Structures are given as C-alpha cells and as structure tokens.
Amino acid sequence: HMSHLNAVGLLLQEQAADADVIPIIDLTLPESTNAGIIREKVSKVGFFYLEGHGLDPATIENCFSAMRAFFSLPQHAKAQQHGCDGRRWEEGPRDKWGGYLAPGLSTLDPHNQTKPDQKESWSMTREYPSSHPQCKQWPGLQGPNSWPNPSLLPQFQGDVKRYFEAVSLLGPRVMSLVALASSWCSKSAGSLGA
C-alpha cells in the first residue's frame, strides 16, 4: 500500500515538473514529432516556444524595437494614436480597430470581470480599406489600422507590417500541427471508449 502511494506521489511530482517546462516546437523536425509534443506536453502547459520557424531575426527584432519605441512614448502621444477613439472594444463597430488601447479600455473576460484590464496594448488587424468586402464579413478582425504618426516613429508601420505578414504565413503551418495532434487525441479518446 505504501509503495503504491509513493509511486502516485512520484507520478504527481513528475507531472508537476512537466507542467513547469514550456515545450519547444522545432519546425525543422518532422510533423509527427511536433504533433506528438503538442499532444503530450502542450495540453499540460497550454502554450509553447516555436523554433526553426524561418522568420528573419531582423524582422522580429525590428518589430520588437518598434513596439519598445511606441510604448516608451509619453501617454499623451500614445493616446493620440488611439485606435478606437476612446471607446471600449465591446461598444461595437468603428472605423479602425487596430491601434493603441490605453489601460482601462478593454476587458479580456467581460462575462466574469467587473473591472476593465489595466494593461495597455497595441494591436493590428489584417489591413483592408473599410469598403473592402472582408471588412463587412469579419468586422473588427480585418480593416484599417490606426498607425502612430510617422513623424514620431517613421519605421513603425513598415516594421510591424513585415512582422505581421511573416507570422501570418507561419500560422497555417502551426495550426496544421495542432490539428494533427488533436486528431490523434480524438482517435485515442475514441479507442478508449470502444
């Protein structure tokens, strides 16, 4: 009886240790290897590091530098770049969705939160003119962005757009791994019930 409890205790310690390590998905490895990591490890942790993605390191660093420069601006300069004209995201359609969102203007979980988030953020959508059919089909997810004034940050828009496009091209590849891992999970769950 005691050895069984020790084995259970060791198993629980091992699982806790696994949950403390962020898994690494290396896109230079075979899909089946990465899908296995997602299936076995990511389900415990909830996210992963991505390596071997092929993104140009300069593209990544330029975007991060642009964001550091933006967030180091004085609050009044950032507020002038406000993407939603002072309205909370939940208040409905607007001309521009991407851009700066000051602290107190968003609520990540409006059904369970009584106070707005106190973070500031900058987001962007896939950029189309507001008259484009995609903007009507996906309001809030695609459309014009609100960019910082180029006189303040001349490289910002170009650096951020290049990063966004590079990551957008990478997304389907990562999602196919998640789908593959999910199909394995579904098959495993189905065989357990049979």
Side-chain angles (χ1 to χ4, degrees), residues 52-70:
H53 45 67
L55 295 180
D56 178 13
T59 299
I60 297 168
E61 180 50 38
N62 291 343
C63 180
F64 279 51
S65 292
M67 288 298 165
R68 282 190 295 273
F70 179 79

Side-chain angles (χ1 to χ4, degrees), residues 111-139:
H111 300 292
N112 295 308
Q113 282 180 252
T114 57
K115 295 181 181 179
D117 298 338
Q118 294 305 303
K119 68 178 183 324
E120 63 179 356
S121 61
W122 194 92
S123 65
M124 72 177 287
T125 62
R126 174 140 332 263
E127 190 149 48
Y128 291 106
S130 48
S131 60
H132 195 281
Q134 289 287 85
C135 297
K136 291 174 181 36
Q137 183 178 359
W138 301 100

Side-chain angles (χ1 to χ4, degrees), residues 10 14 16 52 57 89 92 95 99 108 131 142 162 164-165 177 190 192:
L10 289 173
E14 188 177 298
W89 292 108
D95 291 336
L108 183 61
S131 60
Q142 299 184 44
R162 277 186 288 284
F164 183 87
E165 289 305 319
L177 291 172
L192 290 174

Side-chain angles (χ1 to χ4, degrees), residues 30-54:
E31 277 192 354
S32 59
T33 301
N34 285 323
I37 294 169
I38 290 171
R39 185 184 71 246
E40 293 173 26
K41 302 284 186 188
V42 173
S43 61
K44 295 175 186 169
V45 177
F47 51 93
F48 52 86
Y49 289 114
L50 191 60
E51 290 183 350
H53 45 67

